[in-house]
Amino acid sequence: DLVTWGVAPTITANLGGGWQLRGLASYGESTTKAHTKSISGTALPNAIRAGLFNPYDPEASDPAALAAVGGLETFGLSRQKLIDARLEIDGTLLTLPGGAAKLAVGAEYLQERLQSQKGGSVRGFEDSGYVGLSLPANLPGNPLTLIQPAIAPLPVARLRRNVKAAFGELMVPVFGRGNGRPGMEELTLAASGRYDHYSDFGSTTNPKLALRW
């Protein structure tokens, strides 16, 4: 089973003079759950030895033993959350003969959360654990026999990290269209960079220089 949803509002403010401020935010969640039935490799031989399970006619077996043999499952649960907030400002820095030189700067905060739980259990006992099952054997004296041992609660793994970032870009038109130079219609220089700090392993800086002709 998969359930996912999210919201992503955006706000833009005109600051005048060709500048604008944008705020973006998003929040999303997804949950994935899986139940895969399986035969208990422990309960099956125990029930056969106790005379409570007939492999040639399972329907003639003891109901409790039959349920124990087929009651195991592989359980998986994963919950993810993503939070993202970004603020940007951009506009015209100055006007050059080739056009408008533009600047954009911003900052971003990202948070990721993951909760995971998986393993073998009896359906419905993933969190509490299974106490086990013992039944009177179909043998002389009907001794109490262990069919399915206890199963501990499935552990839950929780992971979380955040990323803080700052970024910017400057575009400078050296000359633009209509300058009367054949073969030199447009030339733009661009410089950009982004800095990210990860809470779990450190920082990274990624600069970029570009020339567009």
Side-chain angles (χ1 to χ4, degrees):
D1 297 331
L2 173 63
V3 178
T4 181
W5 65 274
V7 293
T10 301
I11 299 176
T12 302
N14 188 354
L15 304 179
W19 288 85
Q20 66 176 4
L21 178 69
R22 289 194 303 273
L24 304 91
S26 65
Y27 179 87
E29 291 188 13
S30 67
T31 301
T32 304
K33 183 182 290 188
H35 295 272
T36 304
K37 284 188 175 183
S38 62
I39 299 298
S40 173
T42 301
L44 178 60
N46 287 348
I48 292 175
R49 283 194 294 268
L52 300 175
F53 184 84
N54 184 349
Y56 303 103
D57 185 10
E59 296 301 323
S61 304
D62 179 88
L66 181 62
V69 169
L72 206 64
E73 69 170 10
T74 300
F75 174 78
L77 175 64
S78 176
R79 291 192 176 99
Q80 300 179 69
K81 294 182 180 180
L82 179 65
I83 302 171
D84 188 16
R86 188 163 75 247
L87 194 64
E88 303 174 353
I89 183 170
D90 65 80
T92 300
L93 194 61
L94 70 161
T95 302
L96 301 173
K102 294 184 175 294
L103 175 68
V105 294
E108 185 174 15
Y109 176 79
L110 177 68
Q111 185 182 100
E112 300 170 300
R113 300 180 186 178
L114 172 65
Q115 178 178 311
S116 178
Q117 186 180 27
K118 60 183 179 179
S121 184
V122 175
R123 190 179 183 96
F125 293 89
E126 302 89 10
D127 297 322
S128 62
Y130 183 68
V131 297
L133 176 67
S134 295
L135 296 172
N138 189 18
L139 300 170
N142 299 113
L144 197 63
T145 301
L146 177 67
I147 303 299
Q148 176 63 57
I151 301 175
L154 296 181
V156 179
R158 293 181 174 87
L159 301 174
R160 176 175 176 172
R161 78 169 181 179
N162 62 70
V163 185
K164 300 172 184 176
F167 53 87
E169 182 177 17
L170 174 65
M171 297 186 65
V172 180
V174 179
F175 51 80
R177 296 179 182 274
N179 58 50
R181 301 175 184 177
M184 302 287 284
E185 294 182 357
E186 184 178 354
L187 180 65
T188 302
L189 299 176
S192 62
R194 181 180 176 96
Y195 169 82
D196 294 272
H197 177 73
Y198 296 82
S199 61
D200 52 351
F201 73 85
S203 304
T204 178
T205 302
N206 298 282
K208 180 181 178 182
L209 294 175
L211 174 66
R212 186 175 65 197
W213 178 31

